[in-house]
Amino acid sequence: MSDPILGLTMLGLIVIAIMMGFPTAFTLMGMGMLFGALAFFDPAQHWWENKIFDLMVQRTYGAMNNDTLISIPLFVFMGYLIERAALVDKMFHSVQLAFRRLPASLAVTTLIVCAFWGMASGIVGAVVVLMGVIALRPMLNAGYDVRLASGAITAGGTLGILIPPSVMLIVYAAVAGQSIVKLYAAAMLPGFFLASLYVIYIICRALINPQLAPKLSADQYRVPVPDWLARLERGESKRVFGALLLAVLRPGVLAGATTPAGRPVSFGFIFRNFAAASVPLVLVLSLFCLTWWFVLVRNAPDAMLPPEVSVEQTETLQAPAEDEEVKELGAGEQEMEEQQTTRSGPLGDVAPRTVEEGAPEGFYERFWTAAAFMAALLLFYYWRMDGEQLEILKMLTSSVVPLAVLTLSVLGAILFGITTATESAGIGSIGAMYLAALQKYQRLTLWSALIGAIVGASLGSIQGETMTIIISGVLGGLFTGTAVAWGRDLATSRRLFATMKESVFLTAKTTAMVCWLFVGSALFSAVFALHGGQQVIEQWVLGLNLTPLQFMLVAQLIIFILGWPLEWTEIIVIFVPIFIPLLSHFGIDPVLFGAMVAVNLQAAFLSPPVAMSAFYLKGVAPKHVTLNQIFAGMMPYMLIVVLCLVIMYAWPGMTLMLPDFLYGR
Amino acid sequence: MTVQRFLLATDRISAWSGKAFAWLIVALALVVGIEVFKRYILNAPTAWIFDLNSMLYGTLFMMCGAYALAQNAHVRGDFLYGSMKPRVQAALDLTLYILFFVPGILALAYAGYGFAELSWRINEHSNVTADGPPVYHFKTFIPIAGVLVMLQGLTEIARCVVCLRTGEWPARLKDVEEIDVVGTQLSQSEFVDEESRRVAEHAQDIQDAAKHRGLGESGASPETRDGGRN
């Protein structure tokens, strides 16, 4: 007994049932069980022989074997560890000093730190509350407009769930059967585009009406320059970077000077400062070297394929076999829904275009133009660097740079197809453990990492390729540094271990929440398809004769409205699957759709009067800040999100450029 | 109160088993990391690592289901729910536990047993690679998780009954929460004054109020708030 009407009833009831506030995973499961039992009802059988029981177990096992969802616990774990290791307050302070000359520097800093920290953690509530404490008071004290200040915090706080590595995109990938890498690549540009639109908006507002964001007085952002540095500034070469270089070569220059701690300046001390000063140079250089390597060596036509590519491909070939096994074991009726629910996995995670006709057209011109530009910028930066700048740079190096390097390399490894998403997430978690160790046991971690790097590099030199040696050095350093520092911690104070325990337990709870929701929705959509509900909806929508634009508008509007009462987990797991099969009729790329849904939910989470982040901010704000002021502050950002959506639809190239470039069409 | 002791005892079983299996995440991260090193640097990939990864992940989330339930960590559409009185909440929950929760979890425990038993009988191995590792023990976790979640679900049903009688949600075990990170961060911060630092103490209340969008100020969700009694 299966009936499309029953299918539609299911869909109608699920909305009501979810609003009743029962844990959604079990609501979905229960609806699936009840309606599935009806579908499989056979008077000749006892009720306990009903096939729905087997279907439930099959769907559960499917979720347990889902190779897209497997990266969720790893990314979540990495996020929780970073959240506890990277100090927002230090980050805010140093970034703010770096941007002190910009108009509305505090608001811009708030936005950037929110987005940056949110990228790693992805928990809106925690980001907003924390920034409400750390950033809101300084802004209000500096005389910033309440609306501008609160808007920057709430908009920045929600950005974290959009910009990769975000768990939301993994769940979307699992639901839509797309590859994580493609979705990450697609969300990159819109995410940063949206962030830069926010920044431009803030700066423009501050330029038009400087009263909204008064400049800090000079003594509020003065950075104390230590004595030895001041001596260098006055020294013969005038330029701090050059003077430092000279001092490294001839430590006698600084004889008699003392460090802020009161000890005489030693060679190691000078060298450390010099190393900190050259961080921007090293970062830029390694970025360009990596690009060069990726385009010309890795993707070169004649070069031997790196070993990892072949391994990835064998894995890919094996994935369909596994799917078949699940099918065989399942009841015959599942064929239909098998196609639309959890097809996913490394099928999409295929390595990027490995065969390419030499360097892409115009690569050399673009590469050298960019290199020249960056070189000029660096030269200017080092020319202008004074003692104050160096102090700020040192602060940035200790607070922002480690996290930035970790996040960017995790993302880079995924996007360039060097590793799969799961592997990057695993390495990322270990990197987060390293960061935590670095915070507590700096010296020990750095030294053991150095030893590990040497060992790793020599292991890597068995293969002889330069890049392998570098990567194995990095990995060796990462592993050894982490292992030694954590071992020491376990043996002694167990301070790190306490944060580890928190992160582990939180990861367990969050993973269980998301994956059980996925189990429930897998059963639900299986039964929904069994009743033919999906076909009814498809026929109905196609009968409306919508244009792709109209369809997109309706779909995004529905998701926007659902974003008011529901959390993103529920929307993506329950409602997005209904739209996905329709996309091909309208010729819309599911990857583009996914990126737009992700951006759209930003708007939903910023829309009065239900946006949760406003209430979080209200909770920490001083008494005189009203909820209405916060909402008024959020409105412009919501409109910016809508503008971003329009641009994304009108110009799909922005979203699809990166995935197309990296993985081909 | 004996009922309360029974509730907390089962909570503790769920939390203990969940926390024990939660450590699989560390194992997963290490296994993935070591495999990356072996595969990319030493050029010696391991054939069964794919199976091992999904076993670690699958076991992790299945066995933590009861823990999440005991901590009320499963996401709820609590927009309206949060503003209801505890008695109404309990009545709704009680009905839905019996209507929705019990059948599905029953299926896991009961049909999952048959599923795993068949796997044991045929000595099933994974076919991701030619000689894949056995999967029967992995499948056995389905009925085990089913029983654990069912046990916790019965506890939750008992909670609903208690709440219907007394009009107040019984307490839960205290455990780490997402919002706790605010306290961790603020305690280490250098540029924040003492007054702001005290925000961390009521971060939990801020979260509760935000979840209900300011609708249920009057003790809407006391179950998490007075969970610290234990």
Side-chain angles (χ1 to χ4, degrees):
Chain A
M1 186 174 112
S2 70
D3 191 343
I5 302 296
L6 276 179
L8 290 186
T9 320
M10 258 178 105
L11 197 61
L13 275 182
I14 192 68
V15 180
I16 302 171
I18 288 175
M19 294 309 285
M20 287 199 279
F22 193 63
T24 314
F26 301 114
T27 308
L28 286 165
M29 201 182 277
M31 295 282 278
M33 288 299 292
L34 297 183
F35 282 86
L38 277 179
F40 286 124
F41 180 71
D42 180 355
Q45 276 179 329
H46 287 297
W47 64 266
W48 64 81
E49 282 167 2
N50 197 308
K51 277 178 275 184
I52 186 65
F53 288 103
D54 297 312
L55 182 62
M56 170 71 205
V57 176
Q58 288 293 338
R59 298 287 81 205
T60 311
Y61 191 60
M64 287 163 76
N65 258 324
N66 188 310
D67 38 26
T68 306
L69 292 178
I70 193 169
S71 37
I72 288 186
L74 290 169
F75 274 120
V76 168
F77 184 50
M78 172 179 151
Y80 283 128
L81 279 173
I82 288 179
E83 242 184 17
R84 283 161 181 74
L87 287 182
V88 182
D89 150 85
K90 260 167 95 182
M91 239 186 257
F92 181 76
H93 187 72
S94 52
V95 174
Q96 182 235 329
L97 286 174
F99 286 152
R100 66 211 150 133
R101 304 216 198 283
L102 272 185
S105 65
L106 277 173
V108 172
T109 308
T110 305
L111 201 82
I112 290 174
V113 172
C114 272
F116 188 62
W117 198 65
M119 260 167 94
S121 108
I123 297 156
V124 179
V127 180
V128 171
V129 170
L130 205 51
M131 289 306 279
V133 179
I134 292 172
L136 188 61
R137 270 163 225 262
M139 279 198 274
L140 296 184
N141 289 344
Y144 275 47
D145 182 52
V146 177
R147 272 166 270 164
L148 188 76
S150 52
I153 292 178
T154 45
T158 32
L159 261 182
I161 56 172
L162 165 65
I163 301 180
S166 93
V167 175
M168 175 163 74
L169 291 173
I170 306 179
V171 179
Y172 180 89
V175 163
Q178 295 295 319
S179 83
I180 303 177
V181 268
K182 268 195 164 181
L183 270 162
Y184 273 7
M188 269 323 250
L189 285 183
F192 286 117
F193 178 66
L194 188 61
S196 51
L197 279 183
Y198 287 166
V199 171
I200 293 171
Y201 166 77
I202 292 178
I203 294 181
C204 286
R205 281 292 298 276
L207 283 179
I208 294 169
N209 185 359
Q211 306 235 295
L212 288 178
K215 270 198 174 277
L216 288 177
S217 60
D219 59 315
Q220 270 173 299
Y221 57 70
R222 177 159 304 138
V223 187
V225 177
D227 179 45
W228 66 273
L229 202 53
R231 255 180 70 177
L232 272 190
E233 268 180 325
R234 289 191 304 271
E236 38 191 313
S237 94
K238 305 285 183 229
R239 305 282 158 231
V240 167
F241 190 68
L244 257 178
L245 186 62
L246 278 182
V248 171
L249 299 175
R250 278 189 300 148
V253 177
L254 280 172
T258 52
T259 64
R263 272 181 303 220
V265 171
S266 65
F267 177 72
F269 180 78
I270 303 174
F271 186 78
R272 273 205 300 282
N273 277 285
F274 177 71
S278 39
V279 162
L281 185 69
V282 172
L283 286 184
V284 171
L285 264 182
S286 47
L287 186 68
F288 276 96
C289 289
L290 272 177
T291 318
W292 183 268
W293 170 79
F294 180 73
V295 176
L296 291 182
V297 180
R298 190 165 204 275
N299 287 353
D302 296 328
M304 256 190 346
L305 287 182
E308 64 265 37
V309 174
S310 52
V311 176
E312 256 171 38
Q313 278 165 352
T314 42
E315 211 179 349
T316 311
L317 291 177
Q318 282 144 7
E322 192 209 16
D323 264 9
E324 267 160 37
E325 173 218 26
V326 176
K327 244 184 237 170
E328 270 163 30
L329 289 170
E333 284 93 334
Q334 286 176 53
E335 302 279 307
M336 188 167 40
E337 117 293 321
E338 188 78 41
Q339 288 164 1
Q340 61 117 22
T341 47
T342 53
R343 284 291 305 258
S344 58
L347 277 176
D349 289 14
V350 191
R353 290 176 303 173
T354 40
V355 183
E356 178 70 31
E357 324 258 307
E361 211 177 315
F363 168 73
Y364 289 103
E365 289 86 354
R366 266 184 282 167
F367 184 84
W368 290 119
T369 322
F373 177 71
M374 284 312 287
L377 212 64
L378 273 179
L379 208 62
F380 177 71
Y381 176 73
Y382 280 117
W383 190 253
R384 288 283 308 274
M385 180 187 265
D386 50 13
E388 230 178 16
Q389 286 278 340
L390 181 65
E391 286 297 302
I392 294 173
L393 181 61
K394 268 159 62 184
M395 275 189 233
L396 281 174
T397 313
S398 70
S399 62
V400 180
V401 172
L403 180 54
V405 169
L406 175 66
T407 320
L408 291 183
S409 35
V410 165
L411 275 180
I414 301 176
L415 291 183
F416 292 116
I418 297 170
T419 61
T420 63
T422 313
E423 288 168 342
S424 295
I427 295 291
S429 316
I430 297 179
M433 284 161 71
Y434 180 82
L435 277 193
L438 195 63
Q439 209 77 41
K440 293 260 155 64
Y441 305 98
Q442 201 173 24
R443 203 163 268 251
L444 178 70
T445 315
L446 282 177
W447 278 112
S448 46
L450 186 66
I451 296 167
I454 295 168
V455 174
S458 45
L459 269 180
S461 62
I462 299 171
Q463 289 198 30
E465 246 180 291
T466 327
M467 206 56 203
T468 320
I469 298 177
I470 296 176
I471 293 181
S472 55
V474 171
L475 283 181
L478 189 66
F479 290 168
T480 323
T482 314
V484 171
W486 280 83
R488 161 98 184 268
D489 184 75
L490 279 180
T492 56
S493 69
R494 299 203 163 199
R495 270 184 306 167
L496 277 181
F497 187 69
T499 60
M500 168 77 113
K501 245 164 84 178
E502 278 184 9
S503 313
V504 165
F505 297 156
L506 283 174
T507 308
K509 283 195 272 189
T510 307
T511 309
M513 185 268 278
V514 175
C515 294
W516 277 83
L517 191 61
F518 204 84
V519 168
S521 96
L523 181 71
F524 182 84
S525 53
V527 173
F528 186 58
L530 206 60
H531 281 297
Q534 189 64 43
Q535 277 148 327
V536 177
I537 292 201
E538 265 182 74
Q539 280 158 11
W540 179 68
V541 173
L542 293 183
L544 290 177
N545 276 328
L546 296 172
T547 63
L549 176 65
Q550 284 169 328
F551 170 73
M552 197 61 147
L553 277 178
V554 172
Q556 298 292 345
L557 192 71
I558 293 176
I559 288 172
F560 176 71
I561 292 174
L562 286 172
W564 290 351
L566 299 181
E567 303 213 19
W568 63 260
T569 31
E570 292 158 322
I571 297 172
I572 301 237
V573 166
I574 304 165
F575 296 99
V576 166
I578 297 166
F579 292 109
I580 303 257
L582 297 169
L583 295 178
S584 59
H585 294 300
F586 295 98
I588 298 170
D589 191 332
V591 172
L592 175 68
F593 188 76
M596 288 185 69
V597 168
V599 174
N600 188 352
L601 287 179
Q602 299 277 312
F605 293 151
L606 288 176
S607 57
V610 283
M612 240 199 299
S613 42
F615 292 94
Y616 275 111
L617 188 59
K618 172 71 183 129
V620 283
K623 288 273 180 303
H624 66 89
V625 177
T626 67
L627 207 50
N628 281 337
Q629 280 175 315
I630 299 177
F631 281 136
M634 286 157 77
M635 278 304 275
Y637 295 92
M638 194 181 111
L639 296 179
I640 295 175
V641 178
V642 175
L643 175 75
C644 180
L645 274 177
V646 172
I647 297 176
M648 281 171 80
Y649 186 78
W651 181 35
M654 178 175 73
T655 314
L656 297 176
M657 187 161 62
L658 204 54
D660 284 348
F661 171 72
L662 291 172
Y663 315 113
R665 272 175 202 284
Chain B
M1 203 165 87
T2 48
V3 183
Q4 180 63 14
R5 266 173 51 200
F6 160 74
L7 293 180
L8 290 180
T10 40
D11 273 10
R12 225 167 269 136
I13 294 176
S14 300
W16 187 85
S17 62
K19 283 178 174 177
F21 279 90
W23 288 98
L24 287 181
I25 182 62
V26 182
L28 182 59
L30 291 181
V31 166
V32 170
I34 292 169
E35 175 60 11
V36 166
F37 197 79
K38 278 187 69 186
R39 172 185 293 185
Y40 292 75
I41 309 304
L42 306 182
N43 205 3
T46 319
W48 39 265
I49 213 75
F50 191 73
D51 290 298
L52 179 63
N53 284 350
S54 69
M55 282 177 194
L56 288 174
Y57 142 80
T59 315
L60 166 71
F61 93 79
M62 284 303 282
M63 294 302 285
C64 293
Y67 172 41
L69 189 61
Q71 290 295 328
N72 200 14
H74 283 291
V75 60
R76 291 168 178 262
D78 56 2
F79 181 49
L80 295 176
Y81 179 85
S83 54
M84 295 171 185
K85 288 215 162 56
R87 271 218 171 85
V88 187
Q89 288 179 336
L92 260 181
D93 271 2
L94 184 61
T95 327
L96 295 183
Y97 266 114
I98 292 166
L99 193 64
F100 286 161
F101 177 89
V102 173
I105 303 303
L106 202 63
L108 277 187
Y110 150 78
Y113 177 77
F115 185 68
E117 198 221 344
L118 178 68
S119 182
W120 278 93
R121 244 188 355 226
I122 60 173
N123 190 17
E124 191 185 0
H125 283 239
S126 159
N127 59 355
V128 174
T129 50
D131 55 343
V135 293
Y136 35 80
H137 40 60
F138 182 39
K139 288 188 171 177
T140 312
F141 280 113
I142 298 181
I144 296 178
V147 170
L148 276 174
V149 175
M150 183 58 104
L151 188 67
Q152 186 59 42
L154 294 177
T155 316
E156 296 301 314
I157 290 177
R159 274 212 166 82
C160 293
V161 175
V162 172
C163 177
L164 276 179
R165 286 190 155 175
T166 62
E168 239 179 75
W169 282 108
R172 284 176 194 278
L173 285 178
K174 175 84 179 145
D175 195 36
V176 54
E177 303 256 355
E178 271 181 1
I179 201 81
D180 289 349
V181 70
V182 175
T184 316
Q185 284 268 350
L186 288 181
S187 66
Q188 299 173 50
S189 54
E190 297 159 23
F191 305 96
V192 172
D193 55 10
E194 212 36 57
E195 187 202 341
S196 313
R197 210 163 282 176
R198 243 172 282 135
V199 166
E201 285 160 22
H202 54 260
Q204 190 63 55
D205 301 333
I206 294 174
Q207 181 169 39
D208 290 342
K211 279 245 164 91
H212 310 133
R213 275 82 163 175
L215 282 176
E217 276 109 325
S218 53
S221 177
E223 47 183 322
T224 42
R225 195 169 304 163
D226 57 10
R229 221 180 294 156
N230 194 54

